[in-house]
Amino acid sequence: MKRTRFSDEQIIAILKEHEAGIPVAELCRKHGVSDGSIYKWKARFGGMEVSEAKRLRALEDENSRLKRMLADAMLDNAALKDPLGKEVVPPATRRQAVRHLMQQHGMSERRACKAAGFSRMSMRYQAQRRDDGVLRTRMKELAHERRRFGYRRLHVLLRREGFAVNHKRLFRIYREERLGVRRRGGRKRAIGTRAPIQPPLSPNERWSLDFVSDRSMDGRRFRVLTVVDDCTRECLALVADTPLSGARVAREPDALIVARGKPAMIVSDNGSEFTSNAILTWADRSRVRWHYIAPGKPMQNAFIESFNGRLRDEFLNERLFYTLSQARSQLARWRTDYNGSRPHSALAWQTPAAFSATFAQRRDLPLRQVAGSTTDPASTTRSKAAHNRQVELRAG
């Protein structure tokens, strides 16, 4: 808007002189303006006071400011509707969006950052990342070998190989390489009141048994008997066969007892194999407590259910079996890998075998202490002398 050399107050004062009787020609000569300006001022400010003129000027300024804000908002809205690809979430993508607004719509950096909701400090940040080519290559190799492992277990495996990498940096590379594991959905079930299952405190305190079924390439269905130690999370047995009767199931714990010792309790569901006369006879003969969970409550046997989920997700769903013998050999290899190589999140990322070895060290410690005390001849002599004195005092 073109500015005049007269303020609103001066214009109103000139109009007051005209209202007092001074002709327009004399006002034009006196103030050096044209008669058109006098009539324009009269049409705009005629009959106004100075306060009203100030109020009018404030309203005009406010109106012009609102018009500018509306124009800016409409321009920002039109610029943001410009197709920029998918969701603009990562910082690098936001920087590209800001540059696009600056180049295509002529926005300044400040305005483009404000429209995109991005910090100017982040816009000017220069990344200083280390070269992680070796780490990326090795992580991709491990991810292809163990397709159902997430970045946390891959982190444990990489640290075992000597890679000193932070889990946040590894997660960033994991996302950039698009190695995310698709979570397989399951049926939604009604959830009632849950009570936490108390984990056992020592090995062989409680074993869990259950069945998992699968099919070979020729359509033949087979079942796998899974046995897990609830304390150490070790997989004790994976028995695959087409018929798994109660008598066959009763023979498997005998072989495990010879190798590991007798458990205090065995937990299972109410399947026909576990409630057969063969199992009941075996439990009475071996004097092992057999506990059955409530019908329709698999969460009461959560340790074996969790193991079965890992077995199906990481092994059964990832492999094809042509024969039953091939399934048995691959199950044996997977069981060895599960116990000795796969990190377990519930065991502070230790393997079940390494966690079980800690209990063996605890059991050996009291034996070593007792053995050390009995081999000391001086302590043996002192104990015998004290015993003799106590006998003499009681006799006297």
Side-chain angles (χ1 to χ4, degrees):
M1 182 177 178
K2 185 178 179 181
R3 300 191 54 157
T4 62
R5 34 194 197 100
F6 297 97
S7 63
D8 296 343
E9 293 82 0
Q10 293 174 340
I11 293 174
I12 292 176
I14 295 173
L15 294 179
K16 291 293 183 183
E17 295 179 6
H18 177 64
E19 292 176 0
I22 301 177
V24 174
E26 187 175 347
L27 287 175
C28 292
R29 287 193 301 270
K30 180 180 179 181
H31 298 287
V33 295
S34 63
D35 53 354
S37 299
I38 297 293
Y39 290 116
K40 187 189 301 182
W41 292 345
K42 190 174 181 181
R44 184 178 180 185
F45 297 102
M48 284 189 180
E49 300 293 336
V50 175
S51 59
E52 295 175 346
K54 290 182 178 180
R55 200 160 44 245
L56 178 62
R57 174 63 66 180
L59 290 175
E60 291 177 349
D61 294 341
E62 181 70 14
N63 189 22
S64 61
R65 188 177 67 86
L66 292 176
K67 286 182 178 180
R68 287 195 302 271
M69 291 177 60
L70 179 60
D72 294 342
M74 292 178 65
L75 179 59
D76 294 345
N77 189 21
L80 291 177
K81 287 182 179 179
D82 196 4
L84 297 174
K86 295 185 179 180
E87 293 184 358
V88 184
V89 176
T93 311
R94 288 195 173 190
R95 292 190 186 95
Q96 294 178 2
V98 171
R99 295 191 188 97
H100 178 79
L101 294 178
M102 294 172 60
Q103 296 173 1
Q104 300 297 327
H105 299 276
M107 291 185 177
S108 63
E109 182 185 278
R110 183 190 301 274
R111 183 174 176 182
C113 289
K114 184 177 180 181
F118 195 55
S119 173
R120 295 180 66 196
M121 186 175 1
S122 301
M123 179 65 188
R124 300 181 180 183
Y125 174 75
Q126 298 294 331
Q128 299 178 356
R129 294 180 180 176
R130 292 172 290 179
D131 184 18
D132 48 12
V134 179
L135 176 63
R136 284 176 184 267
T137 303
R138 183 53 185 159
M139 185 177 66
K140 290 168 67 176
E141 292 175 356
L142 289 175
H144 289 304
E145 291 175 6
R146 303 175 180 268
R147 295 178 23 175
R148 299 303 298 174
F149 275 20
Y151 81 97
R152 296 184 185 276
R153 283 193 173 84
L154 293 178
H155 185 211
V156 176
L157 297 178
L158 288 171
R159 290 181 62 182
R160 287 182 188 173
E161 298 181 3
F163 287 94
V165 55
N166 185 277
H167 70 280
K168 293 181 287 186
R169 178 184 170 208
L170 185 71
F171 181 59
R172 173 180 59 80
I173 302 174
Y174 184 82
R175 289 192 305 174
E176 291 176 356
E177 296 296 334
R178 300 181 182 274
L179 299 175
V181 178
R182 182 178 63 86
R183 183 172 298 178
R184 296 187 173 103
R187 292 188 297 118
K188 293 185 178 180
R189 300 174 176 87
I191 299 176
T193 304
R194 290 184 175 181
I197 299 178
Q198 298 297 330
L201 301 179
S202 61
N204 290 341
E205 184 176 340
R206 187 173 70 208
W207 292 358
S208 297
L209 277 70
D210 202 359
F211 286 105
V212 179
S213 62
D214 202 356
R215 290 182 181 273
S216 57
M217 290 295 294
D218 57 0
R220 192 179 184 187
R221 183 173 177 268
F222 64 90
R223 305 178 74 191
V224 181
L225 173 66
T226 58
V227 186
V228 172
D229 190 315
D230 291 352
C231 176
T232 63
R233 308 301 202 276
E234 289 178 285
C235 176
L236 306 183
L238 290 175
V239 183
D241 209 339
T242 47
L244 278 173
S245 61
R248 173 66 186 282
V249 173
R251 291 199 301 267
E252 298 303 327
D254 288 331
L256 294 177
I257 289 175
V258 173
R260 292 180 55 93
K262 185 185 297 184
M265 179 191 295
I266 293 180
V267 183
S268 71
D269 56 18
N270 295 269
S272 59
E273 298 84 359
F274 299 134
T275 57
S276 62
N277 291 329
I279 292 295
L280 298 177
T281 303
W282 180 89
D284 292 337
R285 175 175 52 83
S286 59
R287 298 180 183 275
V288 175
R289 181 186 173 192
W290 198 291
H291 175 73
Y292 295 99
I293 64 175
K297 299 289 185 181
M299 68 285 294
Q300 295 181 2
N301 201 7
F303 293 99
I304 194 70
E305 294 292 341
S306 175
F307 172 79
N308 290 344
R310 304 283 76 75
L311 174 64
R312 182 164 304 278
D313 184 55
E314 299 177 7
F315 178 74
L316 297 179
N317 289 345
E318 296 293 320
R319 287 172 173 81
L320 299 176
F321 309 109
Y322 295 94
T323 60
L324 184 60
S325 59
Q326 179 192 9
R328 287 172 176 170
S329 61
Q330 292 191 12
L331 279 169
R333 288 196 295 269
W334 186 84
R335 174 176 168 270
T336 303
D337 180 76
Y338 180 87
N339 290 334
S341 300
R342 182 186 184 276
H344 204 295
S345 59
L347 305 178
W349 301 110
Q350 300 182 76
T351 61
F355 183 70
S356 178
T358 61
F359 288 93
Q361 295 173 3
R362 297 174 193 173
R363 287 194 295 266
D364 293 343
L365 182 60
L367 297 176
R368 289 196 298 269
Q369 292 176 350
V370 173
S373 61
T374 55
T375 55
D376 188 2
S379 62
T380 304
T381 304
R382 286 195 297 269
S383 62
K384 289 182 178 180
H387 177 70
N388 293 334
R389 283 197 299 270
Q390 290 179 1
V391 172
E392 292 173 359
L393 289 173
R394 291 177 181 175

